[in-house]
């Protein structure tokens, strides 16, 4: 996509979300649901970086999401921290979680990476589940949403102001995500997905790249989890559970693996779909499953991935024969010596 | 360095798969500035030997030294940093990236830019651009730079892979069957590129090849493996006249017309 077109499209999407508090009531949508879309999109991005870009089955990102949620909730409950401080604590906790788990994960590939990710996530799940004194165990912990924290410090955060905080957080996360995946580092992650052996034979230690990708992913999931806890004023063990990781993966596939905007599209479909269907029937997961199957069959590259492929095809230069062989070798006069 | 400098020294290298000694006590040396061919019937252990030398799969026993340093246990990416490049039987490329991006990744890796979270600008970016241009022109793929590698013909993919293995400024390039599966015209093109590796870039080349016409016309020295063991080593003329080599290839008829 041309830079101008992308900027225009991005501005339009952000403008649409900025107007959402006025648009959502028209379709009987609670603005906190749209907040959840934005917050979830950040977690989906964290999965996208590992799975969509690097090709690592990130089936345990709920661990970092849950650490972010509990970090925020606990710091509000026991330390009386304000909103911004709670977000920072939750994010820091998820980062530390990533720092601890990354050394175990970074040499694993394929299904082993996926299984180990799930296993680590379940460890955190059971800690939160069993440690009833601190976390409230199975029942979770309810908190009162704190004041904002930095001047104007004593501003209560209502649903509307939370929404705009979530929007700002999402836009910042998206810009960060985009610049990471477009950077030389991000291109190397894509290269690792396509052919890790060749990356190593370009003289690069791919484990180092995966280590940093894990840390970035954990941090993003932590931001998302902390915001989520403060959105619903509640932290509960299922946030750490592998089902939660599964929803992130599902949303990423729906939206488009390896695309910058796919995470938002996927989170939108998942959260709004869940909200609408669950008001109609308690069996919402069946219908969401059917939607998922339909999407994978109809748009195997996700909504945005398929859209991008369609755009690329329509703008491809005509008359290029993919099967053309090269011309006979004609040594040129350039000096390519080291 | 003097032409007699030994660049790669493999001594008593063995690699076992289950009960099979795929490479059995093989020693060979590659001298700087030579084009050295490694030949042998299917299953002779040529690729396994390549893997041991390049660090793709470590040998069970024996030693490999490169540029005078013992690299027997060195990880593959460290050997690349020391100046070893390699290609694979099936071109090892990034199929869903463009030709330009494939080569650029290697150039950036060598320039220490692969880890950057911001795309470099200015002089650093210009140097990378210039180097990518150079490499693409060397393999004559500049016109196809924006094509996805998956869309290219097999021979062109090999050239992309060669350009990538050159992007890290190696002194020794290991080419594993660079002509496999190519048509005559494409083979001639790769032969031209391999000659250029030495004459224009001053590199040392070790290559595996089945096509004896190519081997005898390109190589300065030939090492022959058979069933994991070293069978013979010498100049093309010596190898062509060697009885044991003729026996090993008996029935394949490859040496009949040379």
């Amino acid at each position: 996509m041309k830079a101008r077109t992308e900027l225009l499209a991005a501005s339009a999407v952000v403008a649409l979300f900025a107007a959402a508090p006025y648009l959502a009531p028209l379709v009987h949508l609670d603005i906190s649901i749209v907040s959840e879309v934005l917050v979830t999109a950040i977690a989906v991005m964290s999965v996208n970086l590992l799975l969509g870009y690097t090709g690592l089955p990130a089936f345990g990102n709920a661990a970092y999401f849950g650490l972010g949620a509990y970090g925020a909730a606990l710091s509000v409950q026991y330390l009386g921290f304000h909103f911004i401080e709670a977000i920072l604590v939750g994010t820091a906790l998820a980062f530390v979680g990533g720092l601890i788990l990354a050394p175990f994960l970074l040499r694993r590939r394929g299904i082993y990476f996926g299984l180990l990710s799930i296993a680590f996530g379940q460890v955190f799940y059971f800690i939160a589940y069993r440690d009833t004194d601190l976390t409230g165990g199975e029942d979770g912990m309810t908190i009162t949403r704190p004041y904002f924290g930095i001047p104007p410090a004593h501003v209560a955060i209502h649903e509307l102001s939370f929404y705009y905080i979530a929007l700002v957080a999402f836009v910042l996360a998206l810009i960060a995500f985009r610049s990471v995946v477009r950077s030389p580092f991000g291109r190397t992650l894509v290269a690792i997905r396509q052919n890790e052996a060749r990356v190593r034979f370009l003289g690069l230690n791919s484990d180092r790249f995966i280590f940093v990708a894990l840390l970035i992913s954990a941090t993003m999931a932590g931001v998302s989890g902390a915001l989520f806890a403060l959105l619903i004023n509640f932290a509960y063990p299922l946030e750490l559970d592998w089902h939660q990781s599964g929803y992130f993966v599902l949303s990423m596939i729906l939206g488009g693996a390896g695309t910058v905007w796919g995470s938002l599209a996927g989170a939108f479909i998942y959260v709004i779909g869940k909200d609408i269907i669950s008001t109609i029937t308690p069996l919402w997961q069946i219908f969401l499953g059917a939607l998922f199957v339909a999407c994978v069959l109809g748009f195997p590259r996700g909504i945005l991935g398929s859209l991008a492929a369609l755009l690329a095809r329509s703008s491809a230069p005509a008359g290029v024969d993919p099967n053309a062989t090269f011309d006979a070798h004609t040594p040129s006069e350039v000096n390519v010596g080291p | 360095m003097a032409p007699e400098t030994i660049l790669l020294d493999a001594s008593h290298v063995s690699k076992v798969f289950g009960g099979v000694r795929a490479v059995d006590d093989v020693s060979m040396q590659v001298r700087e500035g030579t084009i050295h061919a490694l030949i042998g019937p299917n299953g002779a252990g040529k690729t396994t030997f390549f893997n041991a030398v390049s660090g793709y799969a470590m040998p069970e026993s024996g030693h490999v030294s490169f540029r005078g340093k013992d690299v027997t246990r060195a990880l593959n990416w460290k050997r690349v940093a020391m100046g070893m490049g390699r290609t694979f039987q099936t071109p090892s490329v990034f199929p869903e990236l463009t030709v330009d991006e494939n080569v650029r990744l290697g150039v950036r890796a060598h320039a220490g830019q692969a880890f950057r979270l911001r795309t470099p600008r200015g002089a650093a970016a210009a140097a990378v651009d210039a180097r990518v241009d150079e490499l693409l022109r060397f393999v004559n793929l500049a016109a196809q730079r924006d094509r996805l590698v998956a869309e290219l013909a097999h021979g062109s993919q090999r050239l992309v892979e060669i350009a990538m293995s050159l992007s890290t400024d190696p002194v020794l390039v290991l080419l594993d069957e660079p002509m496999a599966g190519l048509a005559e015209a494409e083979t001639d093109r790769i032969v031209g590129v391999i000659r250029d590796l030495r004459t224009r870039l001053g590199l040392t080349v070790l290559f595996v090849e089945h096509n004896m016409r190519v081997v005898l016309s390109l190589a300065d020295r030939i090492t022959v493996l058979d069933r994991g063991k070293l069978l013979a080593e010498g100049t093309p003329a010596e190898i062509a006249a060697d009885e044991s080599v003729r026996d090993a290839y008996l029935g394949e008829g490859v040496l009949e017309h040379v």
Side-chain angles (χ1 to χ4, degrees):
Chain A
M1 211 183 329
K2 291 271 189 296
R4 245 181 88 93
T5 325
E6 193 193 355
L7 191 65
L8 271 173
S11 309
V13 171
V14 172
L16 201 65
F17 271 95
Y22 306 96
L23 300 175
L26 302 179
V27 289
H28 306 289
L29 211 56
D30 199 298
I31 193 62
S32 62
I33 296 297
V34 192
S35 293
E36 193 184 331
V37 169
L38 294 170
V39 170
T40 305
I42 300 174
V44 179
M45 274 190 253
S46 80
V47 172
N48 206 348
L49 184 70
L50 292 182
L51 181 51
Y53 283 85
T54 321
L56 296 166
F59 295 160
N61 266 37
Y64 314 116
F65 179 80
L67 283 175
Y70 274 102
L74 289 168
S75 67
V76 169
Q77 183 87 326
Y78 295 103
L79 303 172
F81 277 13
H82 289 148
F83 191 91
I84 293 294
E85 294 160 338
I87 300 280
L88 292 177
V89 170
T91 307
L93 197 63
F95 176 81
V96 172
L99 213 53
I100 294 168
L101 299 190
F104 298 98
L105 287 167
L106 66 94
R107 297 238 169 122
R108 311 271 171 242
R109 297 292 182 271
I111 194 69
Y112 301 102
F113 184 96
L115 291 177
L116 200 62
S117 301
I118 292 176
F120 280 133
Q122 291 309 96
V123 170
F124 289 118
Y125 167 76
F126 282 110
I127 290 173
Y129 189 85
R130 295 299 293 274
D131 193 355
T132 42
D133 291 343
L134 192 67
T135 64
E138 193 183 356
D139 295 336
M141 53 190 297
T142 308
I143 53 168
T144 309
R145 189 181 291 161
Y147 293 129
F148 191 65
I150 52 171
H154 291 283
V155 174
I157 301 170
H158 302 292
E159 293 314 314
L160 187 63
S161 35
F162 185 96
Y163 176 75
Y164 283 107
I165 292 171
L167 183 58
V168 169
F170 167 76
V171 170
L172 291 179
L174 185 92
I175 291 170
F177 181 80
R178 185 181 176 279
S179 60
V180 167
V181 299
R182 294 280 181 99
S183 69
F185 172 79
R187 299 315 290 170
T188 310
L189 294 184
V190 171
I192 289 172
R193 184 189 76 214
Q194 293 189 21
N195 187 347
E196 186 175 353
R198 177 44 76 193
V199 170
R200 294 177 79 84
F201 275 103
L202 291 176
L204 298 174
N205 180 3
S206 47
D207 293 346
R208 271 180 73 201
F209 287 81
I210 288 170
F211 181 74
V212 174
L214 276 164
L215 289 186
I216 295 173
S217 179
T219 307
M220 290 189 82
V223 172
S224 172
L227 281 166
F228 188 70
L230 294 168
L231 168 67
I232 62 173
N233 299 314
F234 188 49
Y236 55 103
L238 284 176
E239 285 165 346
L240 290 152
D241 192 40
W242 64 287
H243 289 94
Q244 185 66 52
S245 302
Y247 293 136
F248 296 148
V249 172
L250 207 107
S251 305
M252 183 210 75
I253 295 170
L254 284 178
T259 63
V260 171
W261 288 89
S263 305
L264 179 64
F268 190 88
I269 297 168
Y270 166 66
V271 174
I272 303 282
K274 182 183 70 172
D275 183 62
I276 292 174
I277 302 170
S278 63
T279 56
I280 302 167
T281 164
L283 302 174
W284 60 274
Q285 280 158 319
I286 293 177
F287 291 91
L288 207 65
L291 179 71
F292 175 65
V293 171
C295 271
V296 169
L297 292 176
F299 308 97
R301 302 164 91 171
I303 305 284
L304 276 233
S306 300
L307 190 70
L310 204 68
L311 287 174
R313 207 177 308 144
S314 64
S315 65
V320 178
D321 175 12
N323 297 316
T325 52
F326 42 70
D327 309 324
H329 181 49
T330 46
S332 45
E333 294 307 309
V334 282
N335 177 24
V336 198
Chain B
M1 276 185 268
E4 286 303 295
T5 308
I6 293 162
L7 201 54
L8 181 75
D9 189 353
S11 67
H12 307 290
V13 170
S14 294
K15 178 80 188 174
V16 182
F17 293 115
V20 182
R21 299 192 76 81
V23 174
D24 191 0
D25 196 32
V26 172
S27 298
M28 76 173 285
Q29 297 176 332
V30 177
R31 290 172 196 284
E32 176 145 42
T34 55
I35 295 182
H36 197 131
L38 186 61
I39 66 169
N42 282 325
K46 306 179 295 290
T47 295
T48 308
F49 182 76
F50 250 45
N51 289 345
V53 165
S54 64
Y56 192 67
M58 305 293 180
E60 257 82 44
S61 58
H63 289 278
V64 179
S65 81
F66 177 54
R67 301 178 99 174
K69 291 201 180 74
D70 186 354
V71 295
T72 312
R73 299 277 142 208
L75 295 171
N76 42 24
W77 57 271
K78 284 189 176 151
R79 297 183 206 214
V80 174
M82 289 174 68
M84 192 189 288
R86 91 162 271 188
T87 68
F88 292 78
Q89 267 180 46
T90 312
S92 176
V93 289
F94 305 116
E96 289 160 50
L97 299 181
T98 64
V99 172
D100 182 286
E101 282 182 300
N102 268 264
V103 177
R104 190 170 294 271
L105 273 158
V107 173
R108 275 184 176 152
H110 189 65
Q113 292 180 6
F115 225 98
R116 298 262 182 102
L117 284 170
R118 296 188 71 93
T119 308
R121 295 178 196 285
V128 168
D129 286 343
R131 181 76 177 134
V132 172
D133 285 347
E134 255 180 350
L135 289 165
L136 288 178
R137 267 179 288 162
F138 180 77
V139 292
N140 207 11
L141 282 176
Q144 278 120 308
R145 67 189 308 156
D146 294 324
R147 300 267 304 277
L148 293 183
V149 171
E151 296 174 349
L152 297 182
H154 196 62
S156 299
Q157 294 191 5
R158 280 202 195 285
L159 289 170
V160 171
E161 195 191 19
I162 290 175
M164 281 165 88
S165 53
L166 293 178
S167 66
T168 55
D169 278 352
V171 292
L172 170 69
V173 190
L174 310 173
L175 305 172
D176 195 353
E177 296 201 31
M179 273 66 110
L182 298 190
E184 193 95 343
E186 293 180 319
T187 299
D188 291 346
R189 170 108 156 96
I190 303 273
V191 167
V193 168
I194 294 175
R195 283 217 174 86
D196 284 351
L197 289 179
R198 177 170 60 175
T199 54
R200 291 176 53 213
L201 307 186
L203 303 184
T204 307
V205 178
L206 174 63
F207 74 109
V208 169
E209 189 48 57
H210 274 299
N211 185 331
M212 287 305 290
R213 178 184 66 88
V214 167
V215 169
L216 294 173
S217 73
L218 256 182
D220 307 309
R221 284 197 81 75
I222 299 174
T223 299
V224 188
L225 296 185
D226 183 32
R227 275 165 276 176
K229 287 193 165 62
L230 184 71
L231 189 64
E233 179 167 338
T235 62
E238 287 165 1
I239 294 300
D242 192 299
E243 280 299 320
S244 60
V245 176
R246 284 179 175 268
D247 285 346
Y249 276 97
L250 201 68
E252 296 187 20
V254 281
L255 290 177
E256 299 307 313
H257 58 279
V258 293

